Amino acid sequence: MTWRPQYRSSKFRHVFGKAATKEYCYDGVPITRSVHDNQLCAVNPRFLAVITECAGGGAFLVLPIHHTGKVDPHHPRVSGHRGNVLDIKWNPFNDFCIASCSEDATVKIWDIPKHGILKNVTVPTKELQGHSRRVGLIEWHPTASNILFSTGYDYQVMIWNLDSQEQVMKNPVRTISVHQDVVLSMSFNMDGSRLATSCKDKKIRIIDPRTGALLQESNCKSHKASKVLYLGNLKMLVSTGCSRWNHRQIALWDQEDLSVPLLQEDLDGSSGVIFPFYDPDTHMLYLAGKGDGNIRYYEISSEKPYVHFLTEYRSHLPQKGMGFMPKRGLDVCSCEVFRFYKLVTIKSIIEPLSMIVPRRSETYQEDIYPMTAGNEAALTADDWLAGMDKGPVLMSLKPGSKADSLSDLMSGKALSGSLETRRSQSRPGLLQLSYIQNQLDAKENKEPQPSNQLRPWQDEKNGSAVSNGQEPPQNSPPKTENELRQVFYRQQEEIRRLRELLSQRDVRVMQLELEIKNVRNSQASH
């Protein structure tokens, strides 16, 4: 009998990270110099938000996701806080609503205009005043609409119902007081019926978020947890922290028993906090260290040995924080299964990083894109507060489905990004040509009026003029500095789009010539 090596079969074994080229990065972003251990960045399919350095208060930038390249140093900001902004999170069910918390002990809710921010925003939609000290962390409920959790340096976790009509809210619907120190991270299970927290006292706690009752508490001396994360529906948690010898490590826990971890694994001797990210659809766990340039990724299973190391993405650019795109904003045509947004302070850039499953076929791969959580709430705030629990509303990522309409709003950027990714992976074939032609034909059908017939200050899609969220008289030239800036942005976007169309036509011509040559050679050989 011959010896055969034992390989573990996995469709994600060869996942690789592909950093965006400089053209598709966000350059010149004044990233905050705060030492707070948060992600400092939040992303959805429409906007990118990042906390910035600001004198005399706190502010963050909100950029349209497709406005890559050099960022205007005078770009309008959201600047209504009196202290440094410590955390920002997009509402998972409303792409135009974002929450922020600050050292001024408040949480504020902001509505972002559909066309983006054209002037500084200083007045929030709602202001939450309940904490007595600075607020360091906020989280939205994963399935119930308008339920927000906040925690600060007063050791309290507060639950807010944003359906209230009050503009300034001072009374949360519930306050959880089971922590003895600052809460460092919060994570919900799939239906939001359990809340896991990690605390500065190095303990992990599982809490009933409605009643505030403490259900489980870890007391492991060999693992000091700093971040904790629920692993989807696997009924397990993962935590990152350090060992008693100050080695960075990860630990895996059974959510029903936090007395002893199921697994502990040392990583290295660095000191930066490790941010864990989990994709419940692919069961992949990503570990990104603050101050590192590397991202380790693993596959998680429900049976021993639980954690299977896949590989590591390496980069010489260290990240200060990380944002990630929800699954509904990914480019499924290039087999992208996760996308990070790295905050690189030494270059003042935000670098998109795509995790890609290498596949030869250019068609939609259903096995790596199961039904995933969408942008529709399963419950109202009142239903959840009344005791109901419900899993997330699922959606398909298949192009042409309802979910695809969100990516269509990105001005064709996703199309060009996917083509660039595919061109870098392999030589395009006939299938890619047909894909390009179909996309171009669809785009021409959608735009019966040529864009060059529009006024330069008019919107590309409907020809309506936009100025600071208001509609000026038809065919009026830009009069203010903000309107002129918007004209410039639209012209730049039009030039970039035309260049992309030209490059796609060139690719099509080259490939048709190649196919004709192949056909002639095959006929000659016969």
Side-chain angles (χ1 to χ4, degrees):
M1 181 181 290
T2 58
W3 177 83
R4 296 183 181 222
Q6 294 296 317
Y7 293 110
R8 179 176 175 271
S9 175
S10 170
K11 65 185 75 172
F12 304 108
R13 181 186 304 179
H14 302 293
V15 169
F16 66 95
K18 182 179 184 299
T21 58
K22 188 173 182 180
E23 180 187 0
Y24 294 95
C25 295
Y26 305 82
D27 193 7
V29 181
I31 301 169
T32 179
R33 293 195 293 268
S34 170
V35 297
H36 201 68
D37 289 330
N38 275 344
Q39 297 173 13
L40 309 179
C41 178
V43 190
N44 69 25
R46 295 177 186 265
F47 297 108
L48 164 72
V50 58
I51 301 174
T52 61
E53 195 64 25
C54 181
F60 60 93
L61 274 178
V62 176
L63 302 171
I65 202 73
H66 59 275
H67 275 182
T68 55
K70 190 72 175 177
V71 176
D72 184 355
H74 301 293
H75 192 284
R77 307 186 188 192
V78 180
S79 53
H81 284 285
R82 298 186 303 276
N84 290 332
V85 177
L86 299 181
D87 195 16
I88 49 177
K89 294 283 169 57
W90 288 105
N91 187 333
F93 311 118
N94 183 354
D95 288 342
F96 304 101
C97 176
I98 189 170
S100 63
C101 63
S102 166
E103 290 182 350
D104 62 10
T106 65
V107 179
K108 298 188 178 185
I109 312 298
W110 311 87
D111 283 341
I112 306 300
K114 291 187 178 181
H115 48 72
I117 293 179
L118 303 182
K119 60 181 180 180
N120 286 337
V121 178
T122 58
V123 180
T125 306
K126 288 185 182 294
E127 182 172 337
L128 315 182
Q129 301 176 356
H131 290 278
S132 59
R133 299 182 64 186
R134 56 181 173 170
V135 186
L137 189 63
I138 48 178
E139 288 288 348
W140 294 91
H141 193 277
T143 60
S145 62
N146 290 330
I147 292 290
L148 183 70
F149 285 66
S150 65
T151 181
Y153 283 66
D154 53 4
Y155 312 157
Q156 310 293 319
V157 178
M158 296 186 178
I159 307 173
W160 305 88
N161 180 4
L162 303 184
D163 283 340
S164 170
Q165 299 298 320
E166 301 175 6
Q167 200 271 335
V168 177
M169 302 173 61
K170 298 186 178 181
N171 298 313
V173 294
R174 185 166 301 280
T175 300
I176 301 174
S177 306
V178 298
H179 299 91
Q180 306 301 317
D181 212 324
V182 179
V183 177
L184 302 178
S185 69
M186 297 188 290
S187 177
F188 290 93
N189 63 350
M190 288 291 283
D191 62 2
S193 61
R194 293 290 181 268
L195 173 67
T197 64
S198 61
C199 186
K200 203 171 181 179
D201 61 10
K202 310 303 181 185
K203 293 183 179 180
I204 298 172
R205 294 172 175 86
I206 295 181
I207 302 166
D208 185 329
R210 266 188 295 261
T211 64
L214 180 62
L215 306 178
Q216 294 278 336
E217 182 176 285
S218 71
N219 196 18
C220 180
K221 303 296 184 183
S222 60
H223 177 75
K224 303 173 184 177
S226 60
K227 300 291 181 183
V228 67
L229 190 65
Y230 260 104
L231 296 180
N233 54 6
L234 293 180
K235 297 184 179 180
M236 292 190 291
L237 300 95
V238 66
S239 64
T240 61
C242 60
S243 66
R244 62 180 66 185
W245 295 282
N246 284 334
H247 289 167
R248 294 198 299 188
Q249 69 175 193
I250 61 171
L252 204 65
W253 307 82
D254 182 352
Q255 70 175 15
E256 303 298 335
D257 182 13
L258 299 183
S259 58
V260 179
L262 298 172
L263 175 78
Q264 282 180 260
E265 181 177 332
D266 287 358
L267 299 176
D268 54 40
S270 300
S271 58
V273 171
I274 292 181
F275 297 107
F277 301 89
Y278 182 68
D279 181 0
D281 301 331
T282 61
H283 301 295
M284 287 182 65
L285 173 69
Y286 303 88
L287 301 180
K290 184 178 180 181
D292 300 352
N294 305 338
I295 299 176
R296 301 174 177 89
Y297 37 104
Y298 305 78
E299 195 168 1
I300 308 296
S301 64
S302 56
E303 301 175 353
K304 288 184 178 181
Y306 304 115
V307 178
H308 308 275
F309 178 72
L310 294 175
T311 187
E312 182 176 4
Y313 169 80
R314 295 180 177 272
S315 170
H316 66 280
L317 296 176
Q319 59 249 4
K320 181 180 179 68
M322 300 283 281
F324 69 96
M325 176 67 76
K327 293 298 286 288
R328 56 194 172 88
L330 298 182
D331 179 15
V332 297
C333 295
S334 63
C335 298
E336 183 185 35
V337 293
F338 212 81
R339 189 192 305 162
F340 291 101
Y341 287 78
K342 289 178 55 174
L343 307 187
V344 184
T345 52
I346 61 174
K347 290 194 172 184
S348 297
I349 66 170
I350 302 176
E351 180 187 59
L353 172 63
S354 298
M355 311 306 295
I356 296 172
V357 179
R359 294 282 176 95
R360 291 184 179 274
S361 175
E362 304 290 339
T363 57
Y364 176 73
Q365 307 289 308
E366 292 195 17
D367 60 323
I368 61 176
Y369 295 114
M371 297 288 284
T372 188
N375 60 340
E376 183 180 344
L379 297 168
T380 65
D382 292 336
D383 289 341
W384 183 78
L385 291 171
M388 292 180 62
D389 289 320
K390 200 171 182 182
V393 177
L394 301 181
M395 63 183 286
S396 172
L397 298 180
K398 187 173 183 178
S401 64
K402 185 179 178 181
D404 194 49
S405 61
L406 291 174
S407 354
D408 290 340
L409 298 173
M410 294 162 58
S411 302
K413 196 73 171 185
L415 171 62
S416 61
S418 65
L419 291 176
E420 185 209 13
T421 304
R422 282 194 294 277
R423 285 198 295 269
S424 63
Q425 290 182 50
S426 61
R427 181 178 64 84
L430 283 176
L431 195 56
Q432 181 173 342
L433 291 175
S434 62
Y435 174 81
I436 293 173
Q437 187 60 48
N438 292 337
Q439 291 293 330
L440 291 175
D441 293 342
K443 196 170 187 63
E444 290 170 359
N445 293 334
K446 287 181 182 177
E447 298 180 0
Q449 180 184 10
S451 58
N452 58 9
Q453 293 181 5
L454 297 176
R455 304 282 188 211
W457 55 86
Q458 286 182 321
D459 187 81
E460 275 187 17
K461 293 180 182 176
N462 52 23
S464 61
V466 179
S467 169
N468 292 333
Q470 300 177 353
E471 294 188 358
Q474 284 292 329
N475 300 333
S476 61
K479 298 177 181 178
T480 66
E481 182 181 349
N482 283 333
E483 291 180 28
L484 288 171
R485 188 180 296 120
Q486 283 305 110
V487 170
F488 173 74
Y489 287 155
R490 289 197 177 93
Q491 289 177 340
Q492 291 294 100
E493 192 64 32
E494 178 70 10
I495 292 170
R496 185 179 303 168
R497 190 177 69 85
L498 291 174
R499 285 176 178 169
E500 290 166 357
L501 290 176
L502 285 175
S503 65
Q504 292 164 16
R505 296 288 186 181
D506 291 341
V507 169
R508 182 171 180 269
V509 170
M510 291 173 58
Q511 293 305 317
L512 286 175
E513 290 175 352
L514 183 60
E515 293 299 329
I516 291 171
K517 188 182 297 184
N518 290 338
V519 170
R520 287 175 178 172
N521 291 338
S522 62
Q523 289 176 348
S525 62
H526 290 301

